Structure formats: structure tokens, C-alpha cells
Amino acid sequence: MIRDVISAGKKQFRVIKKMWGNKKEKEWWREVVKEVFQTSGYDLKSSFDLIFEAIFKEFSGGSSWGIYPDVESTFLNLKKQGLKIGLISNFDSRLEILLDEINLKQYFYLL
């Protein structure tokens, strides 16, 4: 049963990605960031695109994220016990790369 769910999930993800690609999620983030600046009283005008690209890139990599000190040891212990861990998230398509950069991807059986 779990293999069927995994297989169906991967297939559906590929279908959705073909339909929407990363462009839609990036545009969604662009609107979020624009609203944050505007409601904070900043009108960045012509520099917004440059600033947005820098912010989007910054949060795509592991250097802007951190994990609590006991997370890796907890995942390692769970893995040693033979447990398979899956991750369900509302993050965007950058999640897998991010998890790899912060050395957590290896602990997940399913993303």
C-alpha cells in the first residue's frame, strides 16, 4: 500500500510540475515578498526585482536555514530502529535541495 501511495504521489508531482512548473511558485513568492515590503511602508519600485531575486536565491540554500542540535541525532536513532520517515510539507520545489544541503535528506524515505 505505501509503495502505491509513493508511486502515485511521484507521478502526480510530475504531472503538476509539467502543468505549472516552478514559475507559478516563484510568482507566488514574488507577490508575498512584494506585499511584505509594501505593508511595511517600503516602495522599492525599480529595485524590487533585483531584491526579490536575491531573497529567493538566499532562501533556496542551506545557509539561511538552521536545525536544532538534537535533530540529526534523533533522525539517526529513528533510522537505526528501522523506522521509515516521510515528510509532508507546504514548502515549494526547493525543499529537496535544501534538505540535501543541511544534511537531512538522507533520513527521509519519502518526500
Side-chain angles (χ1 to χ4, degrees):
M1 181 176 149
I2 188 73
R3 292 191 193 285
D4 294 336
V5 172
I6 293 168
S7 178
K10 286 181 179 180
K11 183 178 179 183
Q12 190 60 32
F13 181 77
R14 285 190 298 272
V15 168
I16 291 170
K17 193 149 175 89
K18 270 187 190 176
M19 287 173 35
W20 299 103
N22 291 344
K23 184 177 181 182
K24 288 285 184 184
E25 72 185 19
K26 190 171 183 180
E27 289 306 310
W28 183 84
W29 279 115
R30 181 181 304 278
E31 289 303 311
V32 169
V33 172
K34 184 183 286 185
E35 286 295 318
V36 168
F37 279 109
Q38 286 177 346
T39 58
S40 299
Y42 294 97
D43 186 8
L44 302 175
K45 295 186 183 46
S46 62
S47 60
F48 175 76
D49 287 337
L50 184 63
I51 292 168
F52 170 75
E53 290 298 329
I55 291 170
F56 193 80
K57 183 179 179 184
E58 181 65 29
F59 285 97
S60 296
S63 64
S64 292
W65 301 91
I67 57 173
Y68 291 104
D70 58 345
V71 168
E72 270 196 276
S73 61
T74 300
F75 279 139
L76 187 59
N77 286 333
L78 293 172
K79 192 173 184 177
K80 284 180 183 176
Q81 294 175 36
L83 295 174
K84 293 180 179 177
I85 303 168
L87 176 65
I88 298 173
S89 174
N90 64 348
F91 201 75
D92 59 42
S93 64
R94 301 172 292 169
L95 179 62
E96 194 168 343
I97 294 167
L98 174 63
L99 289 171
D100 197 33
E101 286 188 16
I102 60 174
N103 298 316
L104 291 181
K105 184 180 171 187
Q106 63 185 321
Y107 298 112
F108 294 100
Y109 177 74
L110 172 67
L111 293 175

